[in-house]
Amino acid sequence: MVTRIKRVNSSKPMLRNSFPVLTRFSLGSRCSTSIVVWSLVGFLVMLHLYTLISHTDVQRQDTDIHKSHHPILRELEEVEEENILIPPPRKRSPRAVKRKPKRATNLIGEFLDENSHIRHVFFPTIKMAIDPMNEGGNDSFYYYPGRIWLDTEGNPIQAHGGGILYDERSKTYYWYGEYKNGPTYHAHKKGAARVDVIGVGCYSSKDLWTWKNEGIVLAAEEKNETHDLHKSNVLERPKVIYNDKTGKYVMWMHIDDANYTKASVGVAISDYPTGPFDYLYSKRPHGFDSRDMTIFKDDDGVAYLIYSSEDNSELHIGPLNQDYLDVTDVAKRILVGQHREAPALFKHEGTYYMITSGCTGWAPNEALAHAAESIMGPWETMGNPCIGGNKIFRLTTFFAQSTYVLPFPGLPGFFIFMADRWNPADLGDSRYVWLPLTVGGAADQPLEYSFGFPLWSRVSIYWHKRWKLPAQRSGF
Ligand code: GAL
């Protein structure tokens, strides 16, 4: 069924603040008119002062950020700087220089260069792996963003573009993601780097650090070339939620062909978090192309699909039906014309937040945070949530791309930001960047329609070379 999405009127968004001073104009008396005029002048002076202050605040953002009142969180909000030295340009023959003049070297260039001398900075070798089974000492429970992360059997975790389900019934976390442990190649000259579909990997954990491989819970189809899950296709960003009414675990994922023209979502179902999941079907939700996507289950049990559409120029959001196996015919366009993807949605104190990336394929770009009072919008863009590292780290989401934001139980306002540091030369060797995310304090970027007043709390993602969950200080 093709559904028309009601157009969000992006040129005239609703104003949230209505100022009583404006209504008094209609009273007519001279006295009240002068009161109104002076109030208005006062208001404008205040507004000007406020804008000046907030502007200076933005400039000071790197050093003078909001500090949490929660003592446990304070340490995670420390700003950690990175000072990576760019290696001097390599000697090249005059012929090579003539053929291809060297572009200016910067950190992004080094990151994208598979032969860079500082490759180990972004992709540390296996010697530096996080190995929970052999880590008795000081490094216990520490996350090292970017390092290879081993499961309980000593193999690198394969759960890219993933998400986490906390299963109330087994009191266990399940991490689902793309199992990409195969050769990276290009289907054709101009095609994106790819790995054939192997399936969806699943790992279980009680402490969010030690992960047991539960196997491939939704496997690729080897023979049937017409099947959505045929290995020559694309399966990305799988997410699983539990349906309390049907008692089923439901997986949604991005299904595509090698050229990304199918642009659909796929749905699978299981009785158990560890699968096996039965693949049901794929479709273009609401009749629209759908690429990067996620699902979000709200406190009232209503779940939503959020996907990049109209050639990634906007996102669409709409509730799933009661059994979570399909979309309904209700949907809204959001962030129209903003060209965002990799959505990761979360909620804090009744407000919805979302982190997104720009659209640059496997190359990293700047994250943005967005907020909304109602999940169906309007959604407003707040700015870059990344803090620390260095400027290039912040402009590249710490050389990674959002995939999920996990609320941390028992610590309201504290979340784990999960991102992928893609390695386009060897996608299976892409790394995980998990960092603390907090919500609190005033957003530092006044919004377009809020008369310069920050309406939302700031979302902050703090760079750390090494960090651990607050709960790990006293055991989980
Ligand atoms: C990214 C997207 C990834 C993958 C990649 C392919 O933009 O977020 O999930 O589809 O493009 O180039």
Side-chain angles (χ1 to χ4, degrees):
M1 182 175 48
V2 177
T3 318
R4 248 171 216 287
I5 288 185
K6 289 172 211 141
R7 261 188 194 278
V8 175
N9 190 343
S10 55
S11 60
K12 277 192 187 168
M14 263 177 43
L15 294 181
R16 272 158 209 286
N17 298 348
S18 58
F19 292 89
V21 72
L22 295 179
T23 58
R24 294 217 202 118
F25 269 114
S26 55
L27 293 181
S29 98
R30 261 201 187 175
C31 172
S32 56
T33 308
S34 65
I35 291 175
V36 169
V37 169
W38 282 111
S39 311
L40 197 59
V41 169
F43 171 73
L44 289 173
V45 170
M46 295 284 286
L47 186 62
H48 182 65
L49 279 175
Y50 173 79
T51 315
L52 278 180
I53 292 166
S54 66
H55 183 67
T56 333
D57 272 356
V58 172
Q59 288 177 335
R60 263 189 287 146
Q61 183 191 331
D62 298 345
T63 47
D64 186 17
I65 49 165
H66 156 79
K67 278 274 156 50
S68 177
H69 295 300
H70 203 303
I72 298 179
L73 293 186
R74 228 168 277 158
E75 193 179 311
L76 296 178
E77 293 174 339
E78 289 302 326
V79 175
E80 231 181 79
E81 296 296 333
E82 283 287 345
N83 187 16
I84 300 171
L85 292 179
I86 298 173
R90 258 166 284 150
K91 283 226 163 84
R92 302 161 79 219
S93 71
R95 236 163 144 219
V97 175
K98 206 171 164 202
R99 227 179 23 241
K100 205 174 178 196
K102 180 110 177 94
R103 54 182 155 69
T105 324
N106 63 22
L107 265 194
I108 300 180
E110 293 300 327
F111 175 80
L112 294 174
D113 177 2
E114 319 170 21
N115 301 314
S116 166
H117 289 166
I118 56 165
R119 185 111 180 121
H120 61 277
V121 170
F122 305 108
F123 296 99
T125 65
I126 188 87
K127 279 194 213 138
M128 309 288 282
I130 309 168
D131 184 359
M133 299 315 281
N134 285 312
E135 194 42 74
N138 285 342
D139 262 359
S140 245
F141 296 112
Y142 273 99
Y143 298 113
Y144 284 88
R147 288 196 186 182
I148 292 174
W149 192 348
L150 304 180
D151 65 16
T152 52
E153 286 158 23
N155 299 313
I157 293 173
Q158 284 291 335
H160 309 281
I164 287 183
L165 163 80
Y166 179 67
D167 184 41
E168 295 284 352
R169 302 200 298 181
S170 56
K171 304 272 178 272
T172 303
Y173 291 96
Y174 292 95
W175 179 5
Y176 303 89
E178 302 157 32
Y179 201 96
K180 286 184 120 55
N181 189 20
T184 298
Y185 68 99
H186 292 258
H188 49 84
K189 229 179 171 188
K190 289 212 170 131
R194 58 168 281 120
V195 169
D196 278 350
V197 181
I198 298 171
V200 176
C202 172
Y203 294 81
S204 63
S205 177
K206 295 274 185 192
D207 61 12
L208 290 169
W209 190 66
T210 318
W211 292 95
K212 173 175 180 272
N213 186 358
E214 299 287 351
I216 290 174
V217 293
L218 178 69
E221 163 64 38
E222 290 285 325
K223 293 197 183 92
N224 181 357
E225 284 180 20
T226 65
H227 197 286
D228 281 350
L229 301 184
H230 186 257
K231 57 184 178 175
S232 61
N233 288 329
V234 163
L235 187 177
E236 289 176 346
R237 301 189 175 271
K239 304 285 176 302
V240 175
I241 48 175
Y242 177 68
N243 189 306
D244 304 82
K245 292 202 180 94
T246 61
K248 305 274 186 194
Y249 295 83
V250 182
M251 181 188 293
W252 283 69
M253 68 212 95
H254 172 192
I255 290 291
D256 228 315
D257 54 50
N259 297 323
Y260 290 88
T261 61
K262 188 177 171 84
S264 300
V265 280
V267 186
I269 189 169
S270 176
D271 287 331
Y272 307 98
T274 49
F277 279 79
D278 292 324
Y279 186 74
L280 299 180
Y281 71 105
S282 71
K283 76 185 298 187
R284 285 189 154 204
H286 316 107
F288 283 89
D289 60 298
S290 157
R291 293 190 176 85
D292 279 9
M293 45 66 66
T294 194
I295 44 175
F296 175 78
K297 182 176 165 184
D298 208 343
D299 309 326
D300 59 3
V302 180
Y304 297 81
L305 171 70
I306 303 100
Y307 57 95
S308 300
S309 194
E310 300 281 23
D311 287 326
N312 290 342
S313 66
E314 60 191 37
L315 295 179
H316 294 174
I317 183 164
L320 303 183
N321 66 7
Q322 293 230 336
D323 57 19
Y324 299 168
L325 299 182
D326 201 351
V327 290
T328 64
D329 57 7
V330 178
K332 279 269 170 82
R333 297 170 193 271
I334 59 171
L335 309 183
V336 177
Q338 295 193 32
H339 299 269
R340 308 302 297 170
E341 59 181 14
L345 219 131
F346 57 103
K347 187 179 186 181
H348 178 58
E349 288 180 348
T351 301
Y352 298 88
Y353 298 92
M354 181 161 51
I355 307 291
T356 62
S357 77
C359 304
T360 54
W362 301 119
N365 57 51
E366 186 176 17
L368 288 177
H370 317 267
E373 274 169 23
S374 153
I375 190 164
M376 295 295 282
W379 281 83
E380 297 189 56
T381 297
M382 297 195 286
N384 184 341
C386 299
I387 293 181
N390 60 40
K391 193 174 167 200
I392 307 254
F393 265 53
R394 291 189 291 278
L395 289 177
T396 57
T397 322
F398 315 113
F399 293 95
Q401 185 185 32
S402 46
T403 183
Y404 198 75
V405 174
L406 178 71
F408 189 71
L411 257 187
F414 178 74
F415 300 79
I416 301 176
F417 171 69
M418 293 168 55
D420 296 286
R421 181 174 288 172
W422 298 114
N423 179 351
D426 182 1
L427 285 166
D429 188 35
S430 298
R431 308 295 171 86
Y432 310 104
V433 172
W434 286 24
L435 289 169
L437 179 155
T438 59
V439 182
D444 50 22
Q445 194 156 313
L447 293 163
E448 220 176 316
Y449 308 118
S450 60
F451 295 103
F453 287 101
L455 291 172
W456 312 108
S457 293
R458 194 182 200 286
V459 173
S460 309
I461 303 171
Y462 297 87
W463 171 250
H464 288 275
K465 278 189 186 128
R466 170 189 196 262
W467 69 284
K468 69 173 162 186
L469 290 173
Q472 294 305 358
R473 271 150 239 282
S474 50
F476 228 79

